[in-house]
Amino acid sequence: AISGLTGHAGGRYLAAATQSNTHSYHSGGYGPPPSPGVKDAITKFPFAAEDAYTDVGNLTSVKAYIKGTSSPTHGYAHGGFPPASNVIQKYSTSSDGDATDVGDITAGVYGAGAAQSENHGYVVGGYELTGSNRIQKYSFASDGNSTPVGNTTIGISPLHLSYLGNNAQSTTHGYHVGGYLSSGPFVNVIAKFTFASDASATDVGDLTQTKQDVTNHSATDGYIYVAGGAPPNPTGLNTIERFAYGSDGNGVDCGDLAAATRMAGSTHV
């Protein structure tokens, strides 16, 4: 099953989504009226009752345009705005509590993607002063800074600057999907990079249309699902498409969301 978080946690968007085996977590982001502004709340809901959101802690500071990764024991959040942040922070998913600062990424960045292997969280792309083409990783086993592992393949060579794409993973690869280019405008690229060794991403397919602000889910059926996003509509798209992670190829339209959305968080069980 897949769980898009739009409409929960006070309708926050551009937040970091993570998960444990039993709960989905949503941290930071922008909040709509009656309490607009950037948030620092960490909230969770149990997969057994998806309408039961509770506030369980706070990030180290208010942040939006922030992304998260999940280890077996902790949720992680990296980057964010305002201002552009280089902080890696984590919080326990076995007990409620606040996040702590555990390291730095290579530069302050926001709108980056996120993916995870068994042992590492990955930061992909994002917006710095000139955009970022970096793929970098940080360890789940011990606190510390990130290290660069390669470059993205989305964008105009040689810079490949992109942000507001999204990421997912199989057991062997991370994926960078869609986004917005500093050189303009939106992209439809599906790119992947291996977890087995440090290396740059390769272009392996195309989405059904160019878009940013998508929501990705990694499923056990051999597919990664891509939901919502923008443009062309300011309220977002209602399309769901998928592509196989067992073989390279393009996305295929496979359904519709109940309502159009963009900038949503996502977790999966």
Side-chain angles (χ1 to χ4, degrees):
I2 60 176
S3 300
L5 303 185
T6 185
H8 294 281
R12 284 183 287 135
Y13 58 100
L14 289 172
T18 60
Q19 67 200 53
S20 67
N21 289 333
T22 58
H23 289 79
S24 171
Y25 290 79
H26 204 215
S27 57
Y30 283 110
S35 301
V38 189
K39 308 299 182 183
D40 64 357
I42 302 169
T43 54
K44 74 176 182 181
F45 72 79
F47 290 133
E50 294 182 2
D51 60 348
Y53 243 113
T54 56
D55 189 328
V56 297
N58 296 104
L59 297 175
T60 58
S61 63
V62 296
K63 282 287 178 284
Y65 290 94
I66 189 170
K67 285 295 178 72
T69 62
S70 305
S71 78
T73 59
H74 290 83
Y76 289 78
H78 55 248
F81 179 88
S85 173
N86 70 338
V87 173
I88 304 166
Q89 48 189 304
K90 74 175 184 181
Y91 51 88
S92 174
T93 53
S94 60
S95 61
D96 298 341
D98 295 338
T100 58
D101 184 335
V102 295
D104 295 327
I105 56 180
T106 54
V109 67
Y110 62 94
Q116 73 230 6
S117 66
E118 181 178 358
N119 299 314
H120 292 88
Y122 287 79
V123 185
V124 185
Y127 190 86
E128 299 175 16
L129 290 178
T130 57
S132 175
N133 69 336
R134 298 186 184 96
I135 302 171
Q136 48 191 305
K137 69 181 181 182
Y138 50 87
S139 174
F140 291 148
S142 59
D143 298 341
N145 298 334
S146 71
T147 57
V149 299
N151 297 323
T152 69
T153 187
I154 297 176
I156 298 173
S157 179
L159 296 179
H160 302 306
L161 308 180
S162 65
Y163 54 103
L164 292 173
N166 211 337
N167 293 84
Q169 61 278 320
S170 68
T171 57
T172 59
H173 289 82
Y175 288 82
H176 188 194
V177 182
Y180 186 86
L181 300 180
S182 297
S183 53
F186 304 93
V187 293
N188 66 346
V189 175
I190 302 168
K192 75 175 183 181
F193 56 93
T194 181
F195 295 143
S197 60
D198 296 344
S200 296
T202 57
D203 186 335
V204 295
D206 295 323
L207 299 175
T208 59
Q209 66 185 101
T210 59
K211 50 191 168 183
Q212 66 175 44
D213 300 330
V214 297
T215 301
N216 292 350
H217 311 83
S218 303
T220 57
D221 63 358
Y223 292 94
I224 290 172
Y225 290 80
V226 183
N233 300 318
T235 55
L237 302 168
N238 72 339
T239 55
I240 304 171
E241 60 180 290
R242 70 182 187 181
F243 59 89
Y245 53 73
S247 59
D248 299 340
N250 298 330
V252 177
D253 191 325
C254 63
D256 294 319
L257 297 171
T261 188
R262 59 185 293 191
M263 304 180 187
S266 62
T267 57
H268 52 269
V269 293

